[in-house]
Amino acid sequence: MTDSEAPPAKAPEGVSGAPALPRPVLEIASGYAFTGPALDLGALLWDGRCLPDVQIRIPLPMLNRHGLVAGATGTGKTKTLQLIAEQLSAQGVPVFLADVKGDVSGISAPGQENDKVRTRAGEVRQEWTPAGFPCEFYALGGMGHGIPVRATVTSFGPVLLSKVLQLNQTQEQSLGLIFHYADQKGLELVDLKDLRAVVTFLTSDEGKSELKGIGGLSTATAGVILRSLTAFEAQGMSPFFGEPEFDTSELSRVAGDGRGTVSVLELPAVQDKPQLFSTFLMWLLADLFHDLPEVGDVDRPKLVFFFDEAHLLFDDASKAFLDAITQTVRLIRSKGVGVFFVTQTPKDVPGDVLAQLGNRVQHALRAFTPDDQKALKATVKTFPNSPYDLEEVLTALGTGEAVVTVLSEKGAPTPVAATRLRAPESLMGPVDPAALDRAVEASPLYGRYAEAVDRESAYEKLTAREAQAASSPAPAAPSAPAESASSRGRGRKADDQDSSVVEQVVGSGVFKSLARSLGTQIGREITRSIFGTARRRR
């Protein structure tokens, strides 16, 4: 692990006393001696000592090359997120944080100095100053402390919805057909009762002919979808879908003093609905992908998005769903957005996604069981060659310590560096719930999103049609609601744009896997639903 007998080497510029350090330490120091703006993570750990002269950093322009923060429970991942988010905000970069445990809200309040903070700051040569940062607090469907975040069923899309309904691949494709049918017939899918009304219509005697006309959707499969949807609603999921739909551009706001706003999505109230909140996070990211313009390489990210409990997103995911995630992560970098996945081990993230994550902060791992040992070995293999014995180091790291490798200013991986991390300057814990509620109600966004709106959509249209048919002495032959002129106009416009849409999504795994079985038009429709193209905006 050490090289104490290695001859002294020339010190990198800015590393005092470095000629007395071993050559591997000097090489690590050179790898992190960036000249441009960077975030300070902490000081190098070597041979059991903390070396404050060797500072470990991440270049600010490289934050949109994505990253991974991993480690066992209790090793300090949340504080690492807080540390990075603070510095991004200070440099004018907006941040999104998912607060699963309810302890990230403290980023809005100055930290409290104590012996632990003073000791850590002294060890890593940090000039620690208590500071709070501008925050907005959100809550899914208004469940919990925060401005309600809702999505319409249409914008959420069939693939994401299939994930939370736990449908298999065949059922997922069938749900895509139902979305396509509703879109073609002008039946707006705003909330869950709209979707339930459309599925109920298609499984009724009146709707059987329509069912046969949309691609061979079986009555049995439609019935499974309806039962899954009904059970989903019975679990209290309805508040998450509806209007006013959240505009994800709110996440890119900058405060009046030039600091980036930290958007904190409070999730403790939905901890028992892990698939829901992980899939909602993916919807936020996919919506950003649609709305943000291409910017290429920039001197600082437009937004950095931290995706906590990432393993929940990938558990039991369909191939189409994984393809959509991979495509989004791969392409959103050029829109100036950095995505950090937060989980326990790198193996929680599929290889195609992991390959996109250029920055790594790996906290301690446990090796108590054979499965733990297997995960440890797999984690070590994901790092570049290193002078450390990483299996030993990763099991010996203390709380607030991590193994780091990032992308340099030239885009090359930096040397692996065991690091003692800095202490966050904001409050390391939750703020008082009453203070949190006051902050939410004082936000200019509260009036825009607080009250749910239930406008006329598929449920109301089908209910009215059913009532009209029941009161008519001579019911018309079963048919779906007529397609409106505006819908036909949208269809023609969409046809005119077919070639450009295909060019944009032809490489998408979703397009390839679903278009084969559902037809080119349906494949394009589903891709539209995932990425938000041609969506009916608020």
Side-chain angles (χ1 to χ4, degrees):
M1 174 175 163
T2 64
D3 190 9
S4 58
E5 297 181 358
K10 184 178 179 181
E13 184 177 352
V15 179
S16 61
L21 297 175
R23 183 179 297 276
V25 172
L26 299 178
E27 292 174 352
I28 293 173
S30 296
Y32 291 89
F34 309 126
T35 57
L39 309 186
D40 296 310
L41 293 181
L44 182 71
L45 288 171
W46 183 264
D47 199 18
R49 294 184 298 135
C50 182
L51 306 178
D53 283 330
V54 183
Q55 291 290 311
I56 307 303
R57 313 165 74 212
I58 304 180
L60 186 62
M62 292 295 109
L63 267 294
N64 72 334
R65 302 300 177 92
H66 310 318
L68 177 75
V69 178
T73 301
T75 56
K77 296 191 299 295
T78 301
K79 299 301 176 285
T80 297
L81 305 187
Q82 196 167 339
L83 174 67
I84 296 175
E86 289 177 353
Q87 296 185 62
L88 286 168
S89 174
Q91 300 212 41
V93 178
V95 179
F96 173 88
L97 292 173
D99 188 7
V100 178
K101 297 185 290 292
D103 55 359
V104 179
S105 59
I107 195 170
S108 63
Q112 298 176 349
E113 188 174 9
N114 54 41
D115 290 341
K116 288 184 177 180
V117 169
R118 283 190 290 269
T119 299
R120 177 57 62 96
E123 291 171 342
V124 300
R125 197 168 292 167
Q126 173 186 6
E127 295 181 5
W128 189 89
T129 303
F133 295 83
C135 288
E136 290 284 2
F137 298 98
Y138 301 98
L140 288 185
M143 291 185 64
H145 303 277
I147 296 164
V149 174
R150 305 180 187 90
T152 63
V153 171
T154 289
S155 71
F156 206 73
V159 174
L160 289 175
L161 191 60
S162 295
K163 171 70 172 177
V164 295
L165 293 178
Q166 301 182 46
L167 303 181
N168 63 29
Q169 183 175 359
T170 299
Q171 294 158 0
E172 177 183 309
Q173 294 172 351
S174 297
L175 185 61
L177 286 167
I178 294 169
F179 268 68
H180 171 63
Y181 170 81
D183 189 55
Q184 293 297 307
K185 300 301 180 181
L187 297 171
E188 298 90 344
L189 301 178
V190 174
D191 50 27
L192 292 180
K193 71 178 186 299
D194 290 325
L195 180 58
R196 177 162 42 81
V198 172
V199 179
T200 299
F201 171 77
L202 291 174
T203 54
S204 68
D205 292 338
E206 186 181 6
K208 285 182 179 178
S209 61
E210 297 296 324
L211 197 61
K212 293 179 181 178
I214 61 171
L217 175 66
S218 73
T219 304
T221 299
V224 170
I225 294 173
L226 184 60
R227 289 192 296 273
S228 298
L229 189 59
T230 302
F232 188 66
E233 287 184 282
Q235 296 171 20
M237 303 299 191
S238 295
F240 306 110
F241 296 92
E243 292 180 318
E245 183 174 71
F246 182 69
D247 185 346
T248 53
S249 67
E250 310 284 11
L251 304 179
S252 302
R253 297 166 62 220
V254 176
D257 60 5
R259 293 184 297 172
T261 299
V262 181
S263 299
V264 181
L265 182 63
E266 295 288 325
L267 294 171
V270 292
Q271 280 187 349
D272 59 338
K273 304 174 179 65
Q275 281 196 323
L276 177 69
F277 73 68
S278 66
T279 310
F280 242 96
L281 295 185
M282 192 61 220
W283 171 76
L284 290 172
L285 196 59
D287 197 74
L288 284 165
F289 176 85
H290 166 260
D291 284 348
L292 292 174
E294 294 280 342
V295 295
D297 291 326
V298 290
D299 59 354
R300 67 188 61 222
K302 301 296 184 183
L303 172 70
V304 176
F305 191 103
F306 289 92
F307 208 124
D308 205 358
E309 299 291 345
H311 66 282
L312 297 171
L313 183 69
F314 302 111
D315 288 348
D316 301 319
S318 69
K319 183 181 183 301
F321 189 74
L322 293 177
D323 286 344
I325 296 172
T326 304
Q327 182 81 345
T328 303
V329 172
R330 180 181 294 121
L331 297 180
I332 204 169
R333 179 193 68 78
S334 64
K335 301 196 172 193
V337 177
V339 183
F340 275 69
F341 291 95
V342 185
T343 189
Q344 295 206 358
T345 70
K347 72 181 184 65
D348 293 334
V349 181
D352 288 345
V353 177
L354 192 63
Q356 308 297 320
L357 312 182
N359 303 296
R360 299 277 300 281
V361 180
Q362 176 68 59
H363 287 266
L365 290 174
R366 310 304 180 207
F368 299 140
T369 68
D371 286 343
D372 290 342
Q373 293 169 3
K374 184 177 180 180
L376 174 62
K377 291 181 182 295
T379 298
V380 170
K381 290 179 181 178
T382 64
F383 280 92
N385 291 333
S386 165
Y388 293 96
D389 181 343
L390 286 179
E391 286 192 35
E392 177 184 337
V393 171
L394 286 173
T395 55
L397 290 171
T399 301
E401 297 175 348
V403 171
V404 175
T405 180
V406 302
L407 293 181
S408 71
E409 292 167 312
K410 296 181 179 180
T414 59
V416 176
T419 306
R420 181 160 294 162
L421 299 169
R422 293 181 166 221
E425 295 184 338
S426 56
L427 183 64
M428 289 187 278
V431 298
D432 179 72
L436 185 56
D437 286 337
R438 288 194 296 270
V440 169
E441 293 174 5
S443 169
L445 303 181
Y446 184 76
R448 191 178 306 169
Y449 297 108
E451 294 297 326
V453 176
D454 188 11
R455 65 180 175 88
E456 184 185 56
S457 48
Y459 172 80
E460 287 78 13
K461 290 181 178 180
L462 289 171
T463 300
R465 182 183 181 280
E466 182 181 352
Q468 182 180 9
S471 62
S472 173
S479 62
E483 182 179 1
S484 66
S486 60
S487 296
R488 291 194 299 271
R490 286 196 301 270
R492 286 194 296 271
K493 184 177 181 181
D495 288 341
D496 292 341
Q497 296 175 343
D498 278 356
S499 59
S500 63
V501 173
V502 171
E503 288 172 1
Q504 293 172 17
V505 305
V506 70
S508 167
V510 178
F511 183 86
K512 292 177 180 177
S513 64
L514 296 183
R516 280 194 296 268
S517 58
L518 304 183
T520 302
Q521 175 62 33
I522 305 301
R524 190 165 59 247
E525 185 95 10
I526 290 177
T527 303
R528 174 193 60 80
S529 296
I530 293 172
F531 294 112
T533 51
R535 284 175 44 196
R536 297 185 183 101
R537 302 298 292 178
R538 292 154 287 281

